Amino acid sequence: MNAKVEGKLNILILSCGTRNKIVQYFRETIKEYGGKIIATDCSRLAPALYEADKYYIVKRIDEVGYLEQIVDICVKDDINAVLSLIDPELSFLSEHSEVFKEAGTEIIGSSYDLCEMSLDKYQMYKWLTKHNYNCAKSYVDKAQFFDAKKEGIIDYPVFVKPVKGSASIHISEAKDKESIEFLIGREEGLMIQEYLRGQEIGADVYIDMLSGEVVSIFTKKKIKMRAGETDKAVSFKNQKLFDYIERFVMEAEYKGQIDIDIFDIEGKYYISEVNPRFGGGYPHAYECGCNHMRMIMENLEGRKNVRSVGNYMEGIYMMKYNEVGIVRG
């Protein structure tokens, strides 16, 4: 990371979609630094576009010329840093970090290898088990799963899900062998995963991009989910959980903003999933005083953040609801 960014801070948010609050929080915070928020999406009907100071409609990330288009925006709008709000684009940014660096733009996020591992649930499972973290038993070979079932290592129901996927898309519950055979035979790239029963927890974590230290952790108990995201939740604190999260994050060497899904099963913590980006439940953390946008901007200004793990109130509820945006054709 550059030691100091001169002049105004301008941040580019890619694939903003429906993350209106995230863009609002960035725009609100960057005013203190005299900068602007620029947003992009491949659809003009992405409502979060209209929360930014400026926006661009761009190609899809898998289209030829996308990289050049984003780099051109970085140069034209004097972008100091760029981040994405969708999983597939995280690896893309890290992979081309040198190209962005030449344009004078920092990547806000973790390394390419970590982004890839976080997207690949089976690779994450292998890393977690190797490093002695509790997690859901996972199988990409149905024969191995059936053997484990016979040995009593795992039992129904289980989840059949894409090895690479997000937002709980294409996840099915299987209660017997016939269901497994049908689901696995339907498409490729699927895995079988243990059904975890317990209190689901969400953690919003910021790892300082200069010091590499964990400087903020916010945790919430999930009350209700919708389309793979936290719909209702309540803030809480637990030092044992904070220590567990910090140990995991430091050992894995994540950087910047990450979102972790955890299960509390009879007092034991199980890591379910990691998203190296702002998660859909982050507004809860922000509204409770965990301003990770400011932490990003302090890092971009060349300043390390002061540690403030658990610096928020417990018992604060978050409830999501739909709003309406109108754009003239």
Side-chain angles (χ1 to χ4, degrees):
M1 175 166 288
N2 296 332
K4 174 73 175 174
V5 174
E6 299 296 338
K8 294 181 179 180
L9 276 183
N10 296 319
I11 295 178
L12 178 63
I13 301 176
L14 306 179
S15 303
C16 62
T18 59
R19 306 290 197 197
N20 291 55
K21 285 294 182 183
I22 301 297
V23 180
Q24 286 174 16
Y25 297 152
F26 264 109
R27 191 179 181 192
E28 185 177 301
T29 304
I30 208 167
K31 287 177 182 177
E32 303 171 25
Y33 297 80
K36 291 184 178 180
I37 296 299
I38 294 87
T40 72
D41 202 275
C42 63
S43 170
R44 68 184 298 272
L45 297 182
L49 284 171
Y50 306 99
E51 306 289 353
D53 294 294
K54 185 177 182 179
Y55 68 85
Y56 290 92
I57 310 302
V58 298
K59 298 173 182 281
R60 295 179 61 86
I61 64 172
D62 55 358
E63 287 186 276
V64 175
Y66 178 72
L67 174 62
E68 290 76 11
Q69 192 174 28
I70 299 304
V71 172
D72 182 61
I73 292 171
C74 289
V75 173
K76 186 165 56 178
D77 287 276
D78 295 318
I79 300 297
N80 302 105
V82 59
L83 71 148
S84 177
L85 299 182
I86 62 170
D87 295 322
E89 199 163 27
L90 303 177
S91 297
F92 169 86
L93 286 176
S94 297
E95 185 179 16
H96 297 100
S97 60
E98 287 302 315
V99 177
F100 284 98
K101 190 174 182 179
E102 289 176 11
T105 303
E106 298 284 350
I107 303 296
I108 300 171
S110 296
S111 69
Y112 175 81
D113 289 342
L114 272 179
C115 291
E116 282 289 285
M117 184 179 77
S118 301
L119 185 61
D120 189 313
K121 295 176 176 61
Y122 191 67
Q123 292 303 317
M124 175 61 77
Y125 162 73
K126 290 198 295 184
W127 189 96
L128 290 170
T129 52
K130 179 181 177 181
H131 292 82
N132 299 312
Y133 289 94
N134 298 322
C135 59
K137 299 178 187 70
S138 302
Y139 306 85
V140 289
D141 185 331
K142 67 179 181 180
Q144 289 182 355
F145 166 74
F146 291 138
D147 287 343
K149 170 68 175 69
K150 286 179 183 178
E151 294 171 19
I153 296 172
I154 192 169
D155 200 359
Y156 296 113
V158 293
F159 283 124
V160 176
K161 59 173 66 175
V163 172
K164 293 186 177 183
S166 59
S168 296
I169 297 172
H170 302 308
I171 293 180
S172 302
E173 184 179 337
K175 298 181 179 179
D176 50 45
K177 184 177 181 179
E178 290 71 24
S179 298
I180 295 288
E181 295 283 9
F182 171 75
L183 291 167
I184 293 294
R186 193 170 57 176
E187 59 182 290
E188 296 182 349
L190 298 178
M191 64 185 288
I192 304 164
Q193 192 171 70
E194 180 183 12
Y195 192 126
L196 296 179
R197 295 175 177 83
Q199 172 63 58
E200 193 168 357
I201 295 165
D204 297 286
V205 184
Y206 189 76
I207 306 96
D208 195 276
M209 294 188 292
L210 294 177
S211 69
E213 300 294 321
V214 174
V215 291
S216 178
I217 301 176
F218 174 87
T219 54
K220 53 187 174 284
K221 293 180 180 178
K222 299 184 180 185
I223 298 170
K224 185 179 179 181
M225 300 293 290
R226 177 171 55 163
E229 290 190 1
T230 307
D231 196 49
K232 294 178 175 61
V234 60
S235 63
F236 81 107
K237 301 180 188 182
N238 183 289
Q239 189 59 50
K240 177 185 171 184
L241 177 57
F242 289 157
D243 293 342
Y244 188 77
I245 290 170
E246 185 162 2
R247 178 168 71 88
F248 162 68
V249 168
M250 295 300 291
E251 191 168 0
E253 299 184 342
Y254 283 99
K255 292 285 168 59
Q257 174 69 29
I258 70 170
D259 166 72
I260 311 174
D261 290 334
I262 300 164
F263 279 85
D264 180 350
I265 303 175
E266 298 179 351
K268 287 186 178 181
Y269 296 118
Y270 288 68
I271 295 176
S272 173
E273 204 165 303
V274 181
N275 300 303
R277 57 169 171 76
F278 284 96
Y282 171 75
H284 196 175
Y286 183 93
E287 297 295 345
C288 287
C290 299
N291 188 340
H292 294 182
M293 284 72 183
R294 180 174 287 114
M295 290 183 169
I296 287 172
M297 292 171 199
E298 285 296 295
N299 278 170
L300 292 173
E301 288 280 337
R303 293 185 288 270
K304 297 177 183 178
N305 288 287
V306 176
R307 181 182 172 88
S308 60
V309 172
N311 187 21
Y312 58 88
M313 290 182 63
E314 295 186 274
I316 305 299
Y317 288 82
M318 177 192 74
M319 299 160 283
K320 285 186 180 178
Y321 60 95
N322 295 329
E323 293 186 17
V324 174
I326 303 297
V327 178
R328 293 189 180 276

